[in-house]
């Protein structure tokens, strides 16, 4: 069963200070007081505690401002680490990130999706162990692991609510099982939500921003972040962009909806569309029935990026459909940026970015009171895995989940954890 | 210029207690401590203050529980009032509501939209004065007025960002001007957001619920509330449901988007559709070019409700389109209820409710981890005006905006106020 550790107002305040230090890279105590609205005494006391715990180090003196020179503090990026695990349709990506959110090790492998969870999860755990060993990361400094996937979830219970990738995964306690195998707390979350928060953790968006993320891997997902917190809704199953209808007269989807975005703009739809164009199909889609449609899609995207007009037509049309979703996201969530994340934006990212920006500019002109920037994720194709690790850092450190005084020796509990809202 | 009064953690705590008293109607201090997580001492002190300020009164003893009988407290609904003003396309609705959110007086009149704002706003103020006098409400007990309208706004500055109802309204300081005329603080907000929060204030939804509102008057708007707070996004111009595309291949709209919901499902679209059906047009749309399309629409809706098959076909189709929007709202915001509010749901509300519920059930089945209830607003056709008044109560009382000790005599400031987020 997933446990929900208690947290206190004090640790939340501590998290706020840590988040401000992280965001500004180096900062003085006086600037911290100004940035957080906390008193100098509170800042001094909690910065001292963060230094004692090894999370923060002093980093020289600030530029002279006439008075006493100010001592700067910064995160020690090697003080803590977290693990991000992304389960995609036919690949599993694992990253280890440091306290600054930077990946220090990465691996990916196939085959997990075809296994039942009671085999797959221990195998993932052994891959995490191997990666930690390879990166020479002290296990006592690892805060936990974030496991992200697609489809509906019960995030608090740590179970998937759809039979994906296969029937035995439905309602299997994935977070708890991985936590047992790893001996680390594990939180379960949505891959697109993770990709969205990773952007915040890396400082790529303003801390007060409301922004959206369109995540495209084998399918299409979405996430919205409001001032550093993932928009959750009533059960954390929000922003299901891939199954949003863009055509009220469109074809029915197995999900129950009609005209779902994913069936117009997603990789498998593009491969289907390409297979129906004989000249293009001959060149780029040798095996349209291949289960590995992502390889075929990557080939089309690369051809589009290299100037193949047929391939470009398909990718541009896919981008217009995604643009429609970006417009809806703008009108409903009032975002000021839309981040494009995930491996399926890797090959023709600039085409997607240009077209989606055009659609948003043209189609929301009457409503927007501010510009909406469309930009690629700073975390590249691994955005979901890196974001999964960032969710752990956020949950354990800045949302007040940290055990004061916890350091090497006080080992993480081998139970599933739950990110707070 | 809109002023932004400061508020303190203490007044926020006081607001939390007041909100808990409001929500439970009558409650003991012990139950209040349990409901809010505050200490008994804090509860006692702040309840005493609320009683001294006249907002709360003692209301007898609770049922015996074996120990000392507990004194119950409740709001004094007549302790404070607020004013709600809705500016619609061709009608202005004004309500006075008491502290429990119940309307105690109401008026509506036409003609305001055809005036420039420097004539219209003083006229609205004089109507408010007359209504307060008629209802014999002591002006010193009126906390302020909420002014709600449609289209993009700068909520903090209190100005409309579109030339609606006519060019002189664009960027006119409506909140400040009305505040000057009224001698009361005025906040500007979106009509659909107001209708949404009104539902919360009246206790019609669970306090922790995430729910959406589809608001239909001359146009279509939307609002989402998360645990009692309106979802705002980056500039408070969120949930613009009427100009969300439901058809990526649809006709262009003057707003810049294509296939906008309002052009399929809204009252003026229905009148246009009816005018193109000769048999129906002859019976129900004598003047299809009338500027007053809401009267024609109401006639069609009433005929549908009475069983006219042609009229019913049109209303059901409109409801299916709104159902598509409700599905998108469910998938993106993960709501657990969708409230139908506004005067255009008044005549055929049960047809709309039935069809929209069907669409949500059928088309989100694979994603929902909980039921989504579609229900009419408890505030009826005046939901936006009542909600506008509720926004004032919420801002002034439960969001910590109350001036401690303010009572009869300490008159409201004649400046525009701004609801907090």
């Amino acid at each position: 069963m997933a446990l929900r550790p208690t947290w206190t107002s004090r640790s939340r305040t501590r998290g706020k200070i840590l988040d401000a230090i992280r965001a500004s890279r180096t900062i003085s105590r006086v600037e911290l007081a100004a940035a957080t609205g906390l008193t100098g005494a509170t800042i001094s006391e909690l910065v001292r505690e963060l230094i004692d715990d090894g999370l923060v180090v002093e980093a020289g003196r600030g530029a002279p401002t006439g008075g006493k020179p100010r001592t700067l503090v910064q995160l020690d990026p090697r003080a803590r680490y977290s693990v991000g695990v992304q389960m995609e349709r036919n690949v599993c990506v694992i990253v280890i990130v440091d306290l600054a959110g930077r990946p220090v090790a990465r691996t990916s492998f196939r085959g997990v999706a075809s296994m039942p969870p009671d085999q797959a999860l221990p195998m993932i755990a052994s891959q995490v162990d191997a990666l930690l060993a390879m990166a020479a990361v002290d296990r006592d400094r690892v805060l936990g692991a974030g496991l992200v996937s697609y489809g509906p979830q019960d995030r608090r219970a740590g179970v998937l609510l759809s039979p994906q990738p296969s029937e035995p995964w439905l309602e299997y306690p994935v977070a708890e099982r991985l936590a047992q195998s790893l001996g680390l707390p594990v939180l379960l979350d949505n891959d697109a939500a993770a990709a969205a928060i990773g952007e915040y953790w890396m400082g790529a968006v303003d801390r007060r921003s409301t922004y959206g993320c369109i995540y495209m891997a084998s399918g299409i997902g979405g996430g919205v972040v409001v001032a550093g917190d993932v928009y959750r809704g009533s059960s954390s199953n929000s922003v299901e962009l891939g199954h949003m209808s863009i055509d009220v007269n469109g074809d029915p989807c197995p999900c129950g909806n009609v005209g779902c975005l994913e069936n117009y703009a997603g990789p498998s739809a593009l491969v289907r569309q390409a297979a129906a164009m004989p000249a293009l199909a001959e060149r780029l889609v040798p095996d349209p029935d291949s289960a590995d449609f992502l390889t075929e899609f990557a080939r089309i995207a690369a051809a589009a990026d290299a100037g193949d007009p047929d391939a470009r037509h398909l990718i541009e049309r896919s981008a217009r459909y995604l643009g429609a979703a970006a417009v809806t996201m703008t009108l409903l969530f009032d975002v000021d940026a839309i981040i494009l994340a995930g491996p399926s934006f890797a090959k023709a990212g600039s085409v997607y970015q240009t077209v989606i920006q055009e659609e948003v500019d043209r189609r929301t002109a009457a409503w927007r009171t501010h510009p909406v920037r469309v930009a690629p994720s700073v975390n590249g194709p691994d955005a979901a895995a890196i974001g999964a690790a960032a969710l752990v850092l956020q949950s354990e450190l800045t949302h007040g989940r940290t055990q004061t005084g916890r350091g090497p020796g006080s080992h993480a509990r081998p139970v599933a954890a739950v990110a707070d809202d």
Side-chain angles (χ1 to χ4, degrees), chain A residues 94 122 124-135 139 181-184:
Chain A
I94 302 177
I124 290 172
S126 67
Q127 293 277 352
V128 170
D129 288 340
L131 199 62
L132 288 170
M134 196 196 78
R139 241 190 133 77
S181 296
L182 269 179
L184 288 171

Side-chain angles (χ1 to χ4, degrees), chain A residues 164-184:
Chain A
Q164 299 180 69
S166 60
E167 199 60 51
W169 291 80
L170 173 63
E171 297 194 3
Y172 187 90
V174 287
E176 186 185 5
R177 188 75 184 81
L178 184 59
Q180 282 166 351
S181 296
L182 269 179
L184 288 171

Side-chain angles (χ1 to χ4, degrees), chain A residues 37 59 61 97 107 186 189 197 228 234 253 259 291 298 308 328 336 362:
Chain A
R61 304 264 166 177
V97 309
T107 186
V186 172
D189 215 312
I197 207 71
S234 116
C253 176
D308 181 306
T328 297
D336 47 36
R362 188 161 54 88

Side-chain angles (χ1 to χ4, degrees), chain A residues 207-339:
Chain A
R207 295 175 70 211
R208 302 201 49 186
S209 173
T210 296
Y211 65 96
C213 174
I214 302 180
Y215 183 78
M216 187 158 75
S218 58
I220 297 171
V224 168
V225 172
V226 180
D229 285 314
V230 173
Y231 173 88
R232 295 292 182 184
S234 116
S235 68
S236 277
N237 289 292
S238 55
V239 204
E240 279 297 353
L241 221 52
H243 289 273
M244 183 189 96
S245 174
I246 58 167
D247 183 358
V248 74
N249 301 308
D251 290 333
C253 176
C255 81
N257 206 354
V258 300
C260 292
L261 173 66
E262 198 165 294
N263 302 336
Y264 291 68
S268 73
L270 270 273
V271 171
R272 231 169 28 239
Q273 292 160 16
M277 297 167 71
L280 183 67
E282 200 172 308
R283 268 180 293 140
L284 299 174
V285 193
D287 181 10
D289 297 326
S290 161
D292 185 16
F293 61 82
L294 285 173
T295 304
E296 321 274 325
F297 172 75
R299 207 180 290 126
I300 298 167
D305 194 52
D308 181 306
D310 291 340
R312 197 166 171 107
H313 167 73
L314 285 181
I315 294 291
E316 282 183 356
R317 195 170 57 182
S318 157
R320 299 252 169 246
Y321 291 134
L322 286 172
V327 167
T328 297
M329 197 180 238
T330 301
L331 292 173
L332 297 195
F333 284 103
D334 189 10
V335 295
D336 47 36
I338 291 179
I339 306 301

Side-chain angles (χ1 to χ4, degrees), chain A residues 25-223:
Chain A
R25 305 196 197 277
T26 64
I27 191 167
S28 70
R29 287 170 178 81
V30 171
E31 290 162 335
L32 267 177
T36 58
L38 297 165
T39 65
T42 303
I43 297 283
S44 289
E45 184 186 335
L46 290 174
V47 166
R48 169 55 44 207
E49 198 178 289
L50 289 166
I51 290 174
D52 289 346
D53 286 351
L55 293 168
V56 163
V57 291
E58 296 199 330
R61 304 264 166 177
T65 54
K68 190 178 147 200
R70 292 166 177 178
T71 306
L72 300 174
V73 293
Q74 64 183 31
L75 285 194
D76 176 3
R78 293 161 306 173
R80 298 288 188 280
Y81 295 87
S82 73
V83 178
V85 178
Q86 180 195 19
M87 295 255 316
E88 235 288 290
R89 195 171 164 280
N90 47 17
V91 66
C92 179
V93 178
I94 302 177
V95 295
I96 315 289
V97 309
D98 68 17
L99 196 48
R102 288 183 307 236
V104 297
R106 187 242 188 225
T107 186
S108 71
F109 48 93
R110 290 171 170 258
V112 164
S114 58
M115 296 178 187
D118 55 357
Q119 287 172 34
L121 295 165
M123 186 201 154
I124 290 172
S126 67
Q127 293 277 352
V128 170
D129 288 340
L131 199 62
L132 288 170
M134 196 196 78
V137 167
D138 179 353
R139 241 190 133 77
D140 282 339
R141 293 177 183 259
V142 180
L143 292 169
L147 172 66
V148 297
S149 185
Y150 50 93
Q153 304 175 339
D154 184 336
R155 193 170 59 101
R156 292 194 185 280
V159 303
L160 304 177
L161 297 178
S162 67
Q164 299 180 69
S166 60
E167 199 60 51
W169 291 80
L170 173 63
E171 297 194 3
Y172 187 90
V174 287
E176 186 185 5
R177 188 75 184 81
L178 184 59
Q180 282 166 351
S181 296
L182 269 179
L184 288 171
V186 172
L187 61 81
L188 176 69
D189 215 312
N190 176 271
D191 50 10
I197 207 71
E199 209 68 13
Y200 175 84
W201 194 268
M202 296 296 282
V205 288
D206 184 89
R207 295 175 70 211
R208 302 201 49 186
S209 173
T210 296
Y211 65 96
C213 174
I214 302 180
Y215 183 78
M216 187 158 75
S218 58
I220 297 171

Side-chain angles (χ1 to χ4, degrees), chain A residues 5-25:
Chain A
T6 54
W7 46 269
T8 62
S9 151
R10 180 189 173 86
S11 63
R12 189 120 198 159
T13 304
R14 188 178 130 119
K16 194 173 172 184
I17 294 172
L18 195 67
D19 201 38
I21 296 173
R22 186 186 60 70
S24 55
R25 305 196 197 277

